[in-house]
Amino acid sequence: MRLLHTSDWHLGRALHRVSMLDAQSAFVAHLVATVRERAVDAVVVSGDVYDRAVPPLAAVELFDDALHRLADLGVPTVMISGNHDSARRLGVGAGLIDRAGIHLRTDPAGCGNPVLLPDAHGDVAFYGLPYLEPALVRDEFGVERAGHEEVLGAAMDRVGADLATRPEGTRSVVLAHAFVTGGEVSDSERDITVGGVASVPAGVFAGVDYVALGHLHGSQVITERVRYSGSPLAYSFSEADHRKSMWLIELGPAGELTTAERVDCPVPRPLARIRGTLEELLDAPELARHEQAWIEATLTDAVRPDEPMARLTARFPHTLSLVFAPDRAPEDPDVSYARRLRGRDDQQIAEDFVTHVRGAGPDARERDVLRDAFDAVRTDDTVREVAR
């Protein structure tokens, strides 16, 4: 069975206020063409279909168009909700859409109920594990501790229990939206840290023939059978060096991976990060190759130059982001606040603040209080967004 694995469409998202809708539409057309031309047997979409719980109308219309085009091909599609989606909204009409071969899996309670797709060698069981927000699903899975590993482990227990009832030789595919240990992050993924932990070990998916992951935006191989497709488009300048693609996976008769091929996605415009003084950026001949790219420019001038954006766009008309970072030693008191905080999470910043105010850092109990507070705020934000 030949599978096309994609994820993290983020329909409705912009890049520094530049609409990506046309690029997203071009990706959908490319996806449909790939399914048709490469004789794909099933499409799997591993979450974050939309960029937010209540997407703009244009994004909903594009999603509707994608579903119609996939259904017209007669190729089954299995799709889960991600942490950016509203699972309840995305799942509206799932039972009816199911009849058209579009299988939406957004309810955590259904983790152990597969979509069964046959080929010449028997059934392949597709298990959809939507994004599992630990605080919201702990009761459903009966776990004592609301952590990512605990709830995903409980969901996989249901997968294993169901798979054990299937005929011998039934192959299995799991779709999951999670941060698996060993994955590389970018700036455009929303933080899902709970209790100071964001990732889960790949071993939680043991016993499955293929795991189609979503959440991280870079295409990557965690193990031979556990892979991220990454997002089809770059949504931050941290993804400037990403090769955006989908995985074309072929499962053999015994569940072996006979093919694992990256299928490139169309690039609307390359991204580039350039750095130097304004005059260096305007004069450097080696930067000519970036003149039509979307640009993030970091200026290292000791003194902020006059009209830097206007002067930059004369050479680089698609400059989207301008960062000022004068070359100074980290201990220099004039180093910007943002630069001093770069790479530090909320917990670390809060602990540093306690140290600054009190002269001593928080003890273990106080660190737990801070962590619980951050978890509570993040969970509350998630609940409010989904409830809108």
Side-chain angles (χ1 to χ4, degrees):
M1 182 170 286
R2 184 171 292 179
L3 319 174
L4 189 63
H5 166 200
T6 178
S7 73
D8 295 273
W9 296 359
H10 288 278
L11 300 181
R13 188 163 188 156
L15 177 68
H16 289 269
R17 298 180 299 281
V18 173
S19 172
M20 298 294 284
L21 198 65
D22 287 345
Q24 290 168 340
S25 180
F27 161 70
V28 168
H30 171 69
L31 170 72
V32 171
T34 301
V35 171
R36 183 176 56 248
E37 294 165 8
R38 301 300 297 271
V40 170
D41 297 307
V43 177
V44 295
V45 186
S46 299
D48 281 353
V49 175
Y50 292 122
D51 188 57
R52 56 182 186 264
V54 185
L57 179 59
V60 178
E61 290 173 340
L62 179 55
F63 178 60
D64 180 66
D65 177 61
L67 296 189
H68 276 85
R69 294 169 76 174
L70 287 169
D72 287 344
L73 290 176
V75 176
T77 298
V78 185
M79 184 178 295
I80 62 172
S81 51
N83 61 302
H84 279 250
D85 299 308
S86 166
R88 292 172 63 186
R89 281 188 169 85
L90 187 63
V92 169
L96 186 61
I97 295 172
D98 197 80
R99 301 179 189 177
I102 307 293
H103 308 283
L104 294 173
R105 293 296 182 262
T106 63
D107 185 356
C111 286
N113 302 325
V115 176
L116 297 175
L117 300 179
D119 68 3
H121 306 288
D123 283 340
V124 179
F126 290 78
Y127 296 91
L129 278 56
Y131 172 66
L132 303 175
E133 174 60 47
L136 302 183
V137 301
R138 64 181 300 176
D139 292 339
E140 167 63 34
F141 292 108
V143 297
E144 293 183 5
R145 181 178 175 274
H148 290 292
E149 185 174 354
E150 288 76 12
V151 296
L152 259 177
M156 284 302 299
D157 286 343
R158 294 188 183 183
V159 169
D162 180 83
L163 195 55
T165 69
R166 301 292 167 184
E168 185 177 353
T170 299
R171 291 155 292 166
S172 56
V173 174
V174 164
L175 290 72
H177 196 86
F179 180 9
V180 175
T181 304
E184 295 184 6
V185 302
S186 60
D187 292 342
S188 52
E189 297 120 4
R190 184 178 294 171
D191 181 30
I192 59 171
T193 300
V194 174
V197 179
S199 65
V200 299
V204 76
F205 300 108
V208 175
D209 292 316
Y210 183 69
V211 180
L213 293 175
H215 180 56
L216 300 185
H217 287 185
S219 177
Q220 45 203 300
V221 178
I222 305 300
T223 71
E224 183 65 15
R225 295 180 180 273
V226 180
R227 298 168 184 255
Y228 282 100
S229 67
S231 61
L233 297 165
Y235 292 118
S236 72
F237 279 98
S238 65
E239 302 169 52
D241 295 328
H242 285 190
R243 173 188 166 192
K244 296 300 184 181
S245 59
M246 304 175 284
W247 282 111
L248 186 64
I249 300 293
E250 193 168 279
L251 284 180
E256 71 276 20
L257 267 64
T258 58
T259 298
E261 175 189 346
R262 289 180 70 179
V263 178
D264 290 321
C265 296
V267 179
R269 188 180 298 280
L271 273 65
R273 284 175 147 172
I274 59 177
R275 182 185 180 93
T277 66
L278 180 59
E279 294 304 324
E280 289 171 344
L281 299 184
L282 294 177
D283 296 338
E286 66 272 16
L287 296 182
R289 61 193 176 96
H290 296 315
E291 288 179 354
Q292 295 306 311
W294 278 317
I295 294 291
E296 178 188 75
T298 299
L299 298 185
T300 60
D301 301 78
V303 177
R304 186 172 300 208
D306 292 334
E307 299 184 334
M309 181 61 88
R311 294 166 67 187
L312 271 173
T313 53
R315 182 181 186 187
F316 306 101
H318 304 288
T319 301
L320 300 184
S321 175
L322 190 57
V323 180
F324 295 96
D327 284 333
R328 296 183 178 129
E331 64 273 11
D332 189 317
D334 289 331
V335 170
S336 74
Y337 181 69
R339 191 174 173 190
R340 291 198 301 273
L341 296 185
R342 189 173 299 146
R344 305 182 69 75
D345 61 28
D346 292 341
Q347 178 82 16
Q348 292 170 320
I349 294 169
E351 291 182 13
D352 287 348
F353 177 74
V354 173
T355 302
H356 173 74
V357 170
R358 198 170 62 184
D363 59 26
R365 183 186 63 82
E366 291 167 332
R367 283 195 294 272
D368 288 343
V369 169
L370 287 170
R371 185 174 295 114
D372 290 345
F374 284 122
D375 286 350
V377 169
R378 191 188 57 77
T379 301
D380 184 63
D381 286 345
T382 301
V383 173
R384 287 174 182 271
E385 184 168 352
V386 170
R388 287 173 59 197

